[in-house]
Amino acid sequence: MVPTRRAAAGARHFAPGAVVTDDGIVIDGSSAIATWIADDVVGMGLTLDPVELTGGVVPVLVADGDGEFAGGVRGPLPVELRFTPVGGRIARLDIRPLR
């Protein structure tokens, strides 16, 4: 899918050279991240309902994710998101399901 305006706006929160790991799949670089946002965030209608946030050098957000997941997976699906910030932007984001 071609990145939408919303996906491009979301991708601006990532630092140049950022890497996302989504359930073991590595998405590397700005263009790939914008496409991932278009396909897997905007395209699936993903919503996150925060459950817990811990701060620190690598902030961790636990949230209940819902949307039209691939493979017919039904939400809400608990996920953990680990952020590595650099200069006010996301340099690395690691996402993994908790079940």
Side-chain angles (χ1 to χ4, degrees):
M1 173 184 273
V2 174
T4 64
R5 199 177 281 218
R6 283 178 57 195
R12 286 194 288 273
H13 293 282
F14 289 84
V19 175
V20 173
T21 303
D22 184 359
D23 196 17
I25 298 169
V26 177
I27 300 101
D28 192 356
S30 299
S31 177
I33 289 172
T35 299
W36 166 76
I37 291 171
D39 293 348
D40 291 358
V41 178
V42 176
M44 291 190 323
L46 180 67
T47 60
L48 294 173
D49 185 17
V51 174
E52 180 181 357
L53 175 65
T54 56
V57 176
V58 178
V60 177
L61 172 66
V62 174
D64 287 330
D66 211 346
E68 298 177 26
F69 296 109
V73 174
R74 305 290 300 186
L77 177 67
V79 293
E80 177 185 86
L81 299 94
R82 291 182 171 270
F83 297 87
T84 303
V86 172
R89 296 170 83 186
I90 303 166
R92 181 168 190 90
L93 172 59
D94 296 301
I95 305 167
R96 68 180 186 94
L98 293 176
R99 64 171 161 154

